[in-house]
Amino acid sequence: MSLALTPARRRTAAAVLTAALLVPLAACGNDDSKDDSGKKPAGAAAPKADLMVLAAASLTDVFKAAGAAYEKENPGTKVDFSFGGSQQLAAQVKQGAPADALVTADTKTMDGLKADTGKPSVIAKNRLVIAVGEGNPKKVAELKDLSDSKLKVVLAAPEVPVGRYSKQILDDQKIDVQPVSQELDVRSVLSKVELGEADAGLVYKTDAATAPKKVDAVKIPDGQNAIASYPAATLKTSKHTEAANAFVKWLSTPAAQKILKDAGFEKP
């Protein structure tokens, strides 16, 4: 019996051989971003997404720089921010605001949102200073000077992290201050001093540093000061969980920490 293949059989055999060769090639080329285990390598770019991050008002300037750096490192990803007092941001989260991550200026606010967030991690710390007008025209030298009834002092409301820190250090030193107003976030306190509507106010040192031509900062000794911690976490309602996780983790990387340090924030 002849073993010669007819033209039809030769075509069938060729097709089968071609298909067999293509199977391993397809398997190899399925996803260049994954290694042999099917996992993305450590240096793989973050998933592309448009992220909304709710962040404490004191992070306004530094997070704009951080967001730009992150977008440059991760083409195709866009990071937008909504800044405000931490208590306002917490209320937005409770109301189901469409956002992906949250960064507050205190751990107390974040702890109250355990049911709404992933596990938080502290990304930076901060301290308070006394913000005064340029040149310190009222000659404010220390915390006890804020009790002078002739001095117009503005503080953040006690519901706001910086307001709570302010109350803490004033109470610890038994200093009675009657503020002319209580603001909803630290930037509003700073603005009052910048505009001359107040002679002094308690703000974070990083906020005072954003207005060097309008505001001077009077240091508060460490023994009389408070340390503010900034925790960051993803929100469980995020529609971009993987991308949100990547951004939150990035905030603890050397690149992000350098941006925070350059802005005056301290290591977590």
Side-chain angles (χ1 to χ4, degrees):
M1 182 176 179
S2 175
L3 296 178
L5 295 176
T6 65
R9 288 180 176 176
R10 281 199 296 271
R11 286 194 296 270
T12 301
V16 171
L17 179 60
T18 300
L21 290 173
L22 286 176
V23 168
L25 290 176
C28 293
N30 189 40
D31 186 350
D32 291 338
S33 67
K34 296 182 179 180
D35 59 22
D36 293 337
S37 67
K39 298 179 180 179
K40 291 187 177 182
K48 296 179 181 179
D50 289 349
L51 298 176
M52 172 55 70
V53 179
L54 305 178
S58 50
L59 295 166
T60 299
D61 296 88
V62 69
F63 262 23
K64 288 179 180 178
Y70 188 75
E71 290 176 355
K72 185 175 181 180
E73 285 186 25
N74 299 277
T77 293
K78 182 173 175 54
V79 185
D80 289 316
F81 299 98
S82 177
F83 299 103
S86 296
Q87 81 291 348
Q88 295 172 312
L89 303 179
Q92 291 177 34
V93 171
K94 289 293 187 182
Q95 293 166 6
D100 302 288
L102 170 70
V103 188
T104 61
D106 67 333
T107 55
K108 181 177 180 179
T109 300
M110 186 67 80
D111 287 345
L113 297 169
K114 288 182 179 179
D116 304 286
T117 71
K119 185 178 180 180
S121 58
V122 174
I123 62 162
K125 292 187 176 181
N126 213 340
R127 295 172 187 267
L128 272 64
V129 297
I130 304 171
V132 296
E134 185 182 15
N136 195 3
K138 298 296 182 177
K139 307 303 179 186
V140 175
E142 53 187 333
L143 278 175
K144 69 178 183 180
D145 292 340
L146 300 182
S147 63
D148 187 343
S149 60
K150 296 179 182 178
L151 202 67
K152 290 187 294 183
V153 179
V154 62
L155 300 174
E159 298 79 20
V160 187
V162 70
R164 188 161 56 249
Y165 294 133
S166 298
K167 185 178 186 302
Q168 173 189 323
I169 65 177
L170 291 171
D171 287 351
D172 286 347
Q173 299 303 312
K174 296 179 173 55
I175 299 171
D176 182 28
V177 176
Q178 299 299 319
V180 294
S181 70
Q182 292 185 317
E183 304 299 321
L184 292 177
D185 60 60
V186 68
R187 285 304 172 95
S188 296
V189 175
L190 182 68
S191 178
K192 292 280 187 180
V193 179
E194 283 185 274
L195 296 172
E197 296 176 9
D199 300 316
L202 288 173
V203 302
Y204 299 117
K205 68 176 184 179
T206 54
D207 289 285
T210 65
K213 295 182 179 180
K214 295 182 179 180
V215 168
D216 286 352
V218 177
K219 292 183 178 180
I220 300 172
D222 289 348
Q224 300 177 11
N225 214 330
I227 304 297
S229 295
Y230 290 74
T234 56
L235 295 177
K236 291 182 179 179
T237 54
S238 171
K239 295 182 179 180
H240 312 288
T241 303
E242 191 176 354
N245 279 330
F247 177 73
V248 169
K249 288 181 180 179
W250 178 83
L251 290 172
S252 295
T253 65
Q257 287 295 302
K258 183 179 186 307
I259 295 172
L260 287 161
K261 180 182 178 181
D262 289 348
F265 288 85
E266 299 176 12
K267 292 181 178 180

